[in-house]
Amino acid sequence: MTQEQTVVDGDWHRVHPASPFVRGWVALVAIVYFFGRDSFERALQGRGTIGDNFNERTLWLLAGGGVVLLLALGSFVLSWYFTRYQLAEGYVRVNTGFLFKQQRQARLDRVQAIDIVQPLLARIFGLAELKFEVADAGHSAVRLSYLRLAQAKQLRATILGRAAGIADGSETVEVPEAPEQVVLYVPPGRLVGSLILSEQSLFIVLSAIASVLVSVLTESRAFILYLIPAILGLGTAYWRSFNTGYNFTAAISPDGIRVRYGLLDTRAQTVPPGRIQALKVTQPPLWRILGWYRIHVNVAGYGEHHRSEGEHRTMLLPVGRKPEVMMMLSLVLPDPGIADPERVFTAGLTGLDSGAGFVTTPKRAWILSPLGWRRNGFLSTDTALLLRSGRLWRKLVMVPHQRTQSIALHQGPLARLFGVADLVLHTTPGPVAPRLIQAATEEAVGLFDQQAARARKARKLQNLAQDNSEQWLAQRPPVAMPAPAPPTTHAMQHAPTQEEPHHG
């Protein structure tokens, strides 16, 4: 089997020979520049690369630089030689290190998502990195860098096929890359518009107005200077958001939802819908003008380091209109468990009071949230719990019943005075933090018990159908693609388990 072929035979194989240079090119450039800085500067000035003051010290400096460069190149070669990977016995294993050896492995049936990452230099060489996100892996996610792009795609297809249950696990059978149907594309103009109308822009405008007013009233311009660091920081944030959201494309395939994005560094993620633990739809105030929303999700394996790498990895839709939001919701939750999902989801996104069956904060507690009490509410369907909040920054959170890991009730002294309580649902770490705000105490306690029973029942039904997260496509057609559808705190903890008796 050649280097170009996908490795499924159980043998150990090496990554592409250019991998260590793609990873460590910055170190090489730094070494060359440090030891050859004088020569570079003289060349740029149009003079000879070696000056008249060439002496023994310069010779030793150049010789030392050459030795350091050779040592760096040697370490790169050894790093490549001792980096090997294997796909066998239901695991993907990666061995690294020639002095301090390390082996990392991921069970195929625990793979939550697989990313194909291409930094700029890797794109130039046609290489890509495979990153395997495994439940509970945290910062120990398995990385395989680098392979040729076609080889990385083939290997990803094989692993997802086995993890999804559409391959038999044979070590000699390659799974072809599943077909896909592009269902969503975010134009660059819309992405730029979303940044202009973002919360950061609103903060800049308000800060600028406040600084001008203070400067006029105090006859001092020093306050305007305070904006410069903030503008530089926000400018960096704007660029990061544009760079990661550029060319955002979503497609559906038998192995999951495929998301691609990136301007300089590109990333292709494949997330099976069954691995999504919770979903959040938000709408900043200025986005209402054009009816835009964004969607974040919690995926096991992403949450432990989503802050360090940016929330773009948990972004299912950076900016989109309501039909696109409804389409993405239909992919994540194909069975909404209600007869009229359009009406219910619309009430969750924009509604007030008890429309579509939402239970909201009682009027007696309006003083605790003068703006949001009419929106704070919940609705439980046969398959998921919907939590609605926010009058200015609208938010709708959805948690499939079987993804509820534990539940907590919180009631401080002020909330107890007005007879309300908060209910918190715990899922995997991530940007989505499901919380029901200021529900009537009796309703919160009732939902506490009911949601625990629903979670137990949903997990039992899931196990009986053998449609669990280990092989999420095992009981589904392997090639069919879904069609897009239109102070003191009191806490009571409850962690529903499969062993608990069923009362529903």
Side-chain angles (χ1 to χ4, degrees):
M1 181 173 294
T2 65
Q3 180 70 17
E4 299 298 328
Q5 293 176 295
T6 301
V7 179
V8 293
D9 55 9
D11 293 336
W12 289 95
H13 298 266
R14 293 187 175 90
V15 296
H16 193 275
S19 298
F21 299 94
V22 175
R23 291 194 301 264
W25 67 272
V26 174
L28 292 180
V29 172
I31 292 172
V32 173
Y33 177 77
F34 179 79
F35 289 99
R37 180 179 57 186
D38 292 339
S39 298
F40 291 148
E41 291 177 352
R42 295 180 64 84
L44 292 175
Q45 295 171 1
R47 298 182 292 171
T49 57
I50 299 178
D52 298 333
N53 59 343
F54 183 84
N55 52 33
E56 185 177 356
R57 178 178 175 274
T58 306
L59 181 61
W60 280 107
L61 184 63
L62 294 176
V67 170
V68 172
L69 184 60
L70 289 176
L71 290 175
L73 293 175
S75 67
F76 283 4
V77 173
L78 289 174
S79 173
W80 166 80
Y81 183 81
F82 286 96
T83 299
R84 301 184 301 165
Y85 64 98
Q86 178 196 53
L87 182 63
E89 302 172 354
Y91 287 86
V92 56
R93 300 183 177 93
V94 180
N95 285 352
T96 57
F98 58 94
L99 290 179
F100 301 95
K101 295 184 179 296
Q102 183 181 56
Q103 181 182 92
R104 291 186 177 181
Q105 64 181 17
R107 281 177 50 185
L108 299 186
D109 60 3
R110 299 296 291 168
V111 172
Q112 302 294 311
I114 301 181
D115 298 355
I116 293 183
V117 185
Q118 283 191 287
L120 181 59
L121 190 61
R123 291 173 61 188
I124 295 174
F125 285 96
L127 304 179
E129 175 190 49
L130 273 181
K131 184 174 183 181
F132 308 92
E133 296 293 348
V134 185
D136 303 325
H139 290 279
S140 299
V142 178
R143 297 174 180 262
L144 185 56
S145 56
Y146 287 88
L147 305 175
R148 290 202 177 275
L149 181 59
Q151 185 182 5
K153 289 182 177 180
Q154 180 65 77
L155 185 57
R156 178 185 63 174
T158 300
I159 294 174
L160 283 174
R162 296 183 186 179
I166 59 177
D168 58 6
S170 172
E171 302 299 340
T172 60
V173 177
E174 294 182 0
V175 177
E177 187 173 15
E180 68 176 38
Q181 174 187 347
V182 177
V183 296
L184 183 145
Y185 172 72
V186 177
R190 187 193 300 177
L191 180 63
V192 173
S194 69
L195 296 176
I196 294 175
L197 299 178
S198 65
E199 303 95 319
Q200 294 93 330
S201 298
L202 181 61
F203 171 77
I204 290 177
V205 172
L206 294 178
S207 299
I209 294 174
S211 297
V212 171
L213 291 177
V214 172
S215 298
V216 171
L217 293 176
T218 61
E219 297 182 353
S220 173
R221 299 181 180 180
F223 290 95
I224 298 179
L225 298 178
Y226 297 154
L227 287 177
I228 296 177
I231 292 175
L232 292 177
L234 290 173
T236 302
Y238 281 143
W239 165 250
R240 186 184 302 113
S241 299
F242 180 79
N243 183 41
T244 56
Y246 183 82
N247 198 34
F248 187 95
T249 304
I252 52 177
S253 72
D255 55 18
I257 302 174
R258 296 180 181 174
V259 176
R260 300 184 183 90
Y261 52 87
L263 177 60
L264 298 181
D265 298 345
T266 62
R267 183 183 295 267
Q269 299 175 211
T270 301
V271 182
R275 312 294 181 133
I276 294 176
Q277 311 293 310
L279 177 145
K280 176 178 66 175
V281 185
T282 56
Q283 185 182 49
L286 296 181
W287 284 20
R288 295 192 196 181
I289 301 172
L290 299 173
W292 289 342
Y293 302 86
R294 71 164 65 99
I295 301 179
H296 281 98
V297 293
N298 284 1
V299 178
Y302 279 176
E304 293 297 331
H305 44 85
H306 80 276
R307 291 182 180 178
S308 61
E309 296 193 1
E311 291 194 358
H312 59 273
R313 298 191 65 205
T314 60
M315 188 84 70
L316 198 61
L317 177 63
V319 52
R321 299 186 177 93
K322 181 184 172 183
E324 296 165 331
V325 172
M326 299 298 294
M327 185 269 297
M328 298 304 289
L329 293 180
S330 70
L331 298 182
V332 176
L333 196 68
D335 179 14
I338 42 179
D340 191 358
E342 175 78 21
R343 176 170 170 263
V344 170
F345 289 151
T346 300
L349 294 173
T350 63
L352 296 173
D353 300 322
S354 58
F358 276 87
V359 180
T360 57
T361 300
K363 190 174 182 179
R364 63 177 181 268
W366 71 270
I367 192 66
L368 299 179
S369 181
L371 294 179
W373 71 275
R374 296 177 61 192
R375 257 194 66 81
N376 300 335
F378 72 94
L379 173 66
S380 181
T381 73
D382 293 341
T383 57
L385 180 64
L386 279 63
L387 305 177
R388 186 182 72 181
S389 63
R391 189 69 176 269
L392 296 179
W393 275 268
R394 293 172 175 169
K395 180 169 68 175
L396 174 65
V397 173
M398 296 172 51
V399 182
H401 293 319
Q402 67 271 24
R403 301 305 176 191
T404 302
Q405 296 182 358
S406 65
I407 315 172
L409 275 174
H410 296 269
Q411 187 181 53
L414 195 58
R416 192 156 49 243
L417 178 64
F418 286 92
V420 294
D422 290 2
L423 184 140
V424 179
L425 274 69
H426 303 137
T427 68
T428 56
V432 186
R435 186 182 189 100
L436 172 61
I437 302 174
Q438 296 168 354
T441 302
E442 59 275 12
E443 293 170 347
V445 172
L447 180 61
F448 181 93
D449 296 329
Q450 295 164 14
Q451 186 61 22
R454 294 188 191 104
R456 291 194 298 267
K457 181 179 179 179
R459 281 195 293 269
K460 288 181 178 179
L461 292 176
Q462 187 182 57
N463 291 337
L464 288 175
Q466 295 181 351
D467 187 20
N468 54 36
S469 63
E470 315 306 335
Q471 291 191 344
W472 68 281
L473 275 180
Q475 305 298 320
R476 302 180 186 179
V479 294
M481 293 186 292
T488 18
T489 300
H490 173 68
M492 295 184 292
Q493 295 285 349
H494 182 83
T497 63
Q498 297 177 12
E499 290 73 16
E500 294 176 339
H502 172 53
H503 301 290

